[in-house]
Amino acid sequence: MIRTWHLQDDRQSLVLASFDNRLPEAVYWGPALPTGENLETLSAAALADVAAGMVDRNAGLSLCPEASESFPGQTGLTARDRAGAPLMPSFRFESEATSEHGLTLVFADKSLDLSLVFDLVLTPETSLLKLQTRLESADEITVDWLAAPVLPVPAHTGEMIEFSGRWCAEFLTRRLPFAPGARVRDNRTGRTDHAHFPGLIVCATGTSNTAGEAFAFHYGWSGGHKMVAEELADGRRQVQFGHATASLASGRHFVSAPLYATYSDTGFNGAAVLFQRHARDHVVHGARMPRPVHYNCWEAVYFKHDLEELKAIASKAADLGAERFVLDDGWFGRRDDDTSSLGDWVIDKRKYPDGLTPLIDHIKALGMEFGIWFEPEMVNEDSDLYRAHPDWVLGHADQIRGRQQLVLDMSRQEVRDYLYAHIADILQKNDIGYIKWDHNRILPVVDARQAEGFYELVDRLRANFPGVEIESCSSGGGRIDFGVLERTHRVWLSDSNDALERQRIQHDAALFLPASVTGSHVGPRHCHTSGRTLDIRLRAWTAAQRHMGFEMDPRELTEDEAAILREVTSWWKANRDWMMQADILRLDSTDPAVIAEQQLSRDGGQFVAFAALTRPSDQILPRPLRLTGLDPQTRYRISLVNRDEAPRLSRGAPLLKTQDLEASGQYLMSHGLTLPWRFPETLWVVEGKRI
């Protein structure tokens, strides 16, 4: 007996089959199947042979591979009963419920009083699979591992791209071959983490940004995850995502976070665009439109808050084009450095004797929105909160400190109530439209309840202060995922404002993140995290590729630098309405020194391409920049926005150096643009419009 189900749109098909009422297996995942395809025939055709040295029936690579089936790889569930004995359930079909775009499948092991539920949706507008696993038990049990629905990947793909990184170098990608055995990433930091973005792309050897097949995955969870990409001895391959090991407690109800997945036959961009659109249009809710130009005072004043100095900085920032002013760390308790006062969320009367009102009034008079920094989940030992409640700290007393701070136990209702009351008091008494929510250390213990407590607190604040936007920051990019984006409006991609570092980080983050949620700021002339000194043009145009902002002392700018920044900011404001809704398409550059992308409007009528030369090229002249996503038969007018930045050593006469170009989409994608020569650490900005 075979039961079949089909999730399908015009891009992809996922076919599931249950053999003899056992757990369903994905027997097909790839390009959309034609109408009328016989699913039972496909399911039967997917059954593999049995050869010498094997058991008499292949254990199913199901949505939750079972130990009771003698599955030879990582199983989808590891659980123990109250006495600690391993549970070996054998689930059988119980029921199904279908909706317009998804289905819920229920399987049960009646002897153990366990139910396993799969919630499966193919999102109608963005063609992402959204998959979750639920486990229900009549008795209290302990679950050590529960995978989101497990998917196979085909043998012809052959490679995977995984994500690593560190502080100030987030979203590092590594392309690896699939090989027998398991590639396991077990992120036990308690947050998404700089080194463990919960994503994976499985691809063919020849897949590029613009061509080839790719299967992309993202686990939408902020509390640390485990990923398994495994090739079994029989050649089958599986991908599993779930909470980090040992992060689930005892109980009767367990649920994975959503696993988002999609198939692309148009390279990495085909998947990236779907993730970008889904995050922007269906995950993030209530973001301010148009996106305001952001100013953050951290790298201008650090902990040294002086009202008159902040007013002067705000006036200068507004003159440059800023529309939002964010007061960063240092406004509360007795916070003169990072050793004290976390947890004491009261305004420092030494620095603000009349409260925040004089500063807010000044900022509002300049036409800017006011925002403020919090780090609610942390506490310093030198704080009134710690002295009153040392028992609120997560972990044991002699744990290693991180940035001179400890972590509050967010699973405790009294902790969440305390934080809510103090944050709400600040929001109620001050005209605040924005919170930068920071999280500056890893957790001392792995506990999913920490992330769940964070979610509950943010959800409560969002419900009661719906007009306040929230940015997720965790020493930069340490907490970026669809779980946190359901509750926030923007992510701080990295603490690095080094424009060269940002070019690479932004480029790789675009595999999942749209421009509208990705903060990017013009940092100081001398970057304090890299030690580099970079030109204002590179810094400004790099920030203009995402949600633009400034984060420096604007008074350091020369008149020429200020003029350049105003010009780029004005350009961004003139284009932000369509750019913040655009698809970011990574370009395949034949010059490894170049990082290039193209932002294409949703209607395809206009685009802007950025091509940064990050180091000297190996060849003398720029190689043509091939565009993507255009209509081959349509003609486009191409303009070099910053052609006046061509250096004197560029002595030739390429057409774009002096005038616009009109050419077909076919030419622009096949031959590409011939750009003028330029120095390293500069970039070209190219605009295109359909004629």
Side-chain angles (χ1 to χ4, degrees):
M1 177 183 178
I2 303 177
R3 297 178 186 271
T4 60
W5 301 271
H6 191 186
L7 292 175
Q8 180 183 34
D9 59 18
D10 59 0
R11 291 191 66 262
Q12 64 182 317
S13 286
L14 176 66
V15 178
L16 303 175
S18 169
F19 300 94
D20 297 325
N21 287 325
R22 294 190 294 270
L23 290 180
E25 305 172 34
V27 296
Y28 177 87
W29 181 27
L33 295 171
T35 302
E37 190 85 59
N38 189 308
L39 301 184
E40 286 197 18
T41 299
L42 293 187
S43 301
L47 288 173
D49 201 356
V50 174
M54 299 177 69
V55 293
D56 294 339
R57 177 175 61 80
N58 290 311
L61 203 171
S62 69
L63 297 184
C64 186
E66 294 176 289
S68 62
E69 285 266 297
S70 299
F71 186 74
Q74 169 74 53
T75 58
L77 172 64
T78 305
R80 293 169 281 137
D81 65 18
R82 189 175 300 186
L87 293 172
M88 301 276 285
S90 183
F91 292 104
R92 292 296 183 266
F93 177 79
E94 186 80 9
S95 65
E96 65 178 275
T98 60
S99 62
E100 184 178 0
H101 301 291
L103 62 149
T104 296
L105 302 178
V106 181
F107 291 76
D109 184 323
K110 295 182 179 179
S111 66
L112 296 175
D113 281 334
L114 294 175
S115 293
L116 193 63
V117 183
F118 302 109
D119 296 305
L120 315 169
V121 174
L122 181 57
T123 57
E125 296 177 3
T126 52
S127 193
L128 285 189
L129 293 162
K130 183 180 181 182
L131 314 172
Q132 278 187 280
T133 304
R134 290 183 280 141
L135 178 67
E136 307 285 348
S137 175
D139 297 321
E140 186 172 288
I141 61 173
T142 298
V143 171
D144 298 310
W145 172 245
L146 177 66
V150 176
L151 293 176
V153 289
H156 69 263
T157 48
E159 294 183 345
M160 68 180 87
I161 296 175
E162 63 169 21
F163 294 83
S164 58
R166 58 170 173 79
W167 179 70
C168 286
E170 293 85 346
F171 286 91
L172 288 172
T173 59
R174 186 184 301 270
R175 193 160 180 164
L176 303 170
F178 250 107
R183 177 70 177 175
V184 179
R185 299 187 67 89
D186 197 2
N187 169 23
R188 296 170 52 80
T189 66
R191 61 181 179 181
T192 318
D193 199 55
H194 304 77
H196 298 282
F197 175 74
L200 180 74
I201 301 173
V202 178
C203 59
T205 302
T207 300
S208 67
N209 289 318
T210 57
E213 286 192 303
F215 297 81
F217 303 81
H218 170 61
Y219 191 59
W221 170 243
S222 308
H225 76 283
K226 179 179 175 181
M227 179 206 81
V228 180
E230 184 175 30
E231 180 175 311
L232 304 176
D234 58 28
R236 292 179 294 172
R237 293 169 176 166
Q238 64 164 336
V239 172
Q240 296 191 14
F241 277 90
H243 289 12
T245 299
S247 65
L248 296 178
S250 298
R252 292 180 171 85
H253 174 78
F254 306 87
V255 61
S256 75
L259 175 64
Y260 298 89
T262 197
Y263 165 79
S264 167
D265 61 0
T266 55
F268 304 133
N269 285 340
V273 163
L274 300 178
F275 278 100
Q276 292 169 23
R277 291 180 180 179
H278 193 78
R280 182 183 61 236
D281 301 337
H282 301 285
V283 176
V284 175
H285 301 287
R288 200 92 69 242
M289 292 295 177
R291 303 302 281 143
V293 177
H294 204 92
Y295 177 78
N296 183 289
C297 71
W298 175 244
E299 294 194 35
V301 300
Y302 297 100
F303 295 104
K304 186 181 177 182
H305 288 214
D306 176 83
L307 179 59
E308 295 308 314
E309 188 173 22
L310 286 167
K311 285 182 178 180
I313 290 171
S315 296
K316 184 64 174 177
D319 176 65
L320 292 168
E323 298 163 310
R324 171 188 284 155
F325 182 100
V326 178
L327 185 68
D328 212 285
D329 195 354
W331 59 268
F332 56 93
R334 298 182 67 85
R335 182 76 163 173
D336 297 327
D337 55 34
D338 63 3
T339 66
S340 76
S341 301
L342 284 177
D344 298 342
W345 300 110
V346 293
I347 297 167
D348 186 346
K349 292 296 185 181
R350 300 172 306 154
K351 299 175 182 178
Y352 299 97
D354 299 314
L356 296 174
T357 300
L359 178 60
I360 294 174
D361 287 348
H362 178 77
I363 287 166
K364 300 288 285 188
L366 293 168
M368 291 193 291
E369 178 182 74
F370 180 77
I372 196 166
W373 181 95
F374 286 96
E375 192 175 1
E377 297 144 274
M378 304 294 162
V379 65
N380 289 123
E381 288 164 280
D382 182 10
S383 68
D384 293 339
L385 176 61
Y386 181 82
R387 285 184 282 271
H389 292 288
D391 55 310
W392 284 5
V393 168
L394 182 69
H396 54 79
D398 62 347
Q399 65 182 267
I400 298 173
R401 272 54 175 166
R403 267 188 45 145
Q404 296 84 47
Q405 61 197 52
L406 298 166
V407 184
L408 293 172
D409 185 347
M410 296 296 292
S411 71
R412 299 177 66 147
Q413 185 65 50
E414 63 267 37
V415 171
R416 300 197 299 271
D417 288 345
Y418 169 88
L419 293 172
Y420 175 84
H422 282 72
I423 297 171
D425 184 65
I426 296 293
L427 296 179
Q428 287 165 348
K429 293 178 179 177
N430 299 278
D431 189 355
I432 294 172
Y434 190 86
I435 291 174
K436 179 182 177 182
W437 189 300
D438 218 335
H439 182 283
N440 277 311
R441 61 155 292 177
I442 64 173
L443 303 189
V445 296
V446 183
D447 192 338
R449 295 175 301 175
Q450 191 72 11
E452 291 165 356
F454 160 67
Y455 284 172
E456 192 274 340
L457 175 58
V458 178
D459 290 346
R460 187 176 174 189
L461 287 165
R462 284 287 309 273
N464 293 326
F465 299 93
V468 177
E469 282 197 21
I470 300 176
E471 172 183 79
S472 174
C473 176
S474 184
S475 294
R479 186 155 63 187
I480 297 176
D481 57 80
F482 280 16
V484 76
L485 279 171
E486 286 183 350
R487 296 160 171 88
T488 58
H489 306 84
R490 187 182 198 254
V491 295
W492 185 226
L493 193 58
S494 177
D495 276 345
S496 175
N497 279 321
D498 181 304
L500 289 178
E501 296 286 348
R502 276 282 177 151
Q503 281 290 326
R504 201 277 310 154
I505 296 169
Q506 291 176 179
H507 188 69
D508 290 332
L511 289 166
F512 294 92
L513 299 178
S516 59
V517 308
T518 306
S520 187
H521 295 174
V522 182
R525 185 183 303 116
H526 179 78
C527 178
H528 81 281
T529 60
S530 70
R532 268 196 289 243
T533 298
L534 296 172
D535 187 84
I536 187 63
R537 295 167 182 82
L538 177 65
R539 287 145 56 204
W541 283 117
T542 297
Q545 291 178 236
R546 298 296 184 267
H547 182 190
M548 188 177 189
F550 320 143
E551 188 161 348
M552 88 297 261
D553 188 338
R555 298 170 300 178
E556 80 168 23
L557 298 173
T558 66
E559 289 186 10
D560 286 345
E561 287 174 328
I564 291 167
L565 184 52
R566 283 193 202 94
E567 182 179 351
V568 175
T569 303
S570 296
W571 177 91
W572 188 82
K573 287 181 177 180
N575 289 277
R576 63 180 163 186
D577 285 349
W578 72 266
M579 282 180 60
M580 293 299 98
Q581 301 294 320
D583 298 328
I584 303 172
L585 305 174
R586 295 166 21 126
L587 297 179
D588 292 317
S589 174
T590 55
D591 184 348
V594 171
I595 295 176
E597 71 178 33
Q598 177 185 331
Q599 298 187 17
L600 180 65
S601 65
R602 291 293 293 269
D603 65 2
Q606 64 186 120
F607 64 85
V608 59
F610 300 88
L613 184 63
T614 61
R615 60 172 176 79
S617 295
D618 294 336
Q619 75 287 340
I620 297 174
L621 297 177
R623 289 174 171 162
L625 181 68
R626 300 172 72 191
L627 304 182
T628 190
L630 306 180
D631 182 344
Q633 303 304 314
T634 295
R635 293 181 63 78
Y636 297 85
R637 178 175 291 108
I638 308 298
S639 175
L640 192 59
V641 175
N642 57 337
R643 57 168 56 106
D644 60 342
E645 296 178 11
R648 286 190 303 168
L649 288 180
S650 171
R651 297 179 296 142
L655 188 145
L656 279 173
K657 191 174 174 182
T658 57
Q659 67 185 75
D660 291 352
L661 163 70
E662 292 187 6
S664 68
Q666 186 67 70
Y667 173 85
L668 296 171
M669 293 188 292
S670 297
H671 179 276
L673 296 171
T674 301
L675 295 169
W677 184 91
R678 71 274 180 77
F679 287 119
E681 301 183 2
T682 64
L683 59 76
W684 288 125
V685 183
V686 179
E687 285 183 326
K689 291 189 177 181
R690 185 167 49 204
I691 299 175

